[in-house]
Amino acid sequence: MRLKLLSGSNSQTNATNDEELGSKEEMQDWLLSVGIISPVTKESAGALYHQQLSRQLADFVKVPLERAGGIINLIDIYCLFNRARGTELISPDDLLQACSLWEKFDVPVVLRKFDSGVMVIQTKSHSDEEGRKVHLTPANTTLEVASGKTLPCAATITGACSPCA
């Protein structure tokens, strides 16, 4: 009986280990695809650090902006960007300086500050009218409050909205 239990738990353990290995491999592949292979550093870029960082950041934000509908909170980008850089973290001041340089470069994103003080990164093609009716999620509730222009979809209020349920 003991051998049967041990062999049964081993087969379950092996199945669990195979699933864990599969999910770990998927996670590593995802992290490699998200990560920045050679992050710009002050040592490598010297006096051009903020300019190169600005260009790297503009390239990096394309995917998160696309997934977020064209606008994302600056704090979220700060976290995502630093996570992708691994151990070569940047300061909040460096992030702001890099974003402020976008006005000088021809990049498809802009830094925007709402009257409430909340700062976001958005695509140049994003308009406030696009975001007037959105689903209430933790990611966009901050932006709704910040802009004061976004309204929840009617289905959210009634509980019939499947993405919000």
Side-chain angles (χ1 to χ4, degrees), residues 2-156:
R2 182 175 177 202
L3 290 175
K4 194 174 191 178
L5 288 173
L6 290 175
S7 66
S9 65
N10 282 344
S11 64
Q12 289 175 353
T13 303
N14 288 341
T16 304
N17 286 341
D18 289 344
E19 289 175 15
E20 286 178 10
L21 286 176
S23 62
K24 284 180 184 177
E25 288 173 3
E26 289 172 10
M27 180 62 87
Q28 288 174 347
D29 289 343
W30 182 79
L31 287 174
L32 287 174
S33 70
V34 170
I36 297 172
I37 295 172
S38 60
V40 174
T41 63
K42 289 181 180 178
E43 292 78 29
S44 68
L48 299 174
Y49 172 66
H50 286 104
Q51 291 176 355
Q52 290 182 7
L53 183 66
S54 178
R55 292 181 193 274
Q56 189 174 57
L57 180 61
D59 287 338
F60 174 81
V61 298
K62 290 176 186 175
V63 173
L65 279 173
E66 184 179 304
R67 289 182 182 165
I71 187 168
I72 192 165
N73 193 325
L74 186 63
I75 295 169
D76 293 338
I77 288 295
Y78 175 73
C79 293
L80 290 171
F81 191 58
N82 267 335
R83 180 176 289 168
R85 289 175 60 88
T87 59
E88 300 294 335
L89 304 179
I90 64 168
S91 71
D93 290 334
D94 287 340
L95 180 74
L96 282 174
Q97 285 184 338
C99 291
S100 67
L101 290 175
W102 286 340
E103 296 171 3
K104 295 179 182 179
F105 304 128
D106 185 27
V107 293
V109 293
V110 294
L111 176 65
R112 180 174 176 194
K113 186 174 183 177
F114 289 104
D115 293 337
S116 64
V118 172
M119 297 171 71
V120 298
I121 294 175
Q122 69 181 47
T123 59
K124 286 183 178 176
S125 62
H126 183 83
S127 70
D128 288 341
E129 294 304 314
E130 288 178 34
R132 288 192 68 78
K133 294 213 177 217
V134 296
H135 303 287
L136 287 175
T137 64
N140 64 21
T141 331
T142 304
L143 297 177
E144 291 172 7
V145 173
S147 68
K149 297 179 182 178
T150 308
L151 304 171
C153 68
T156 301

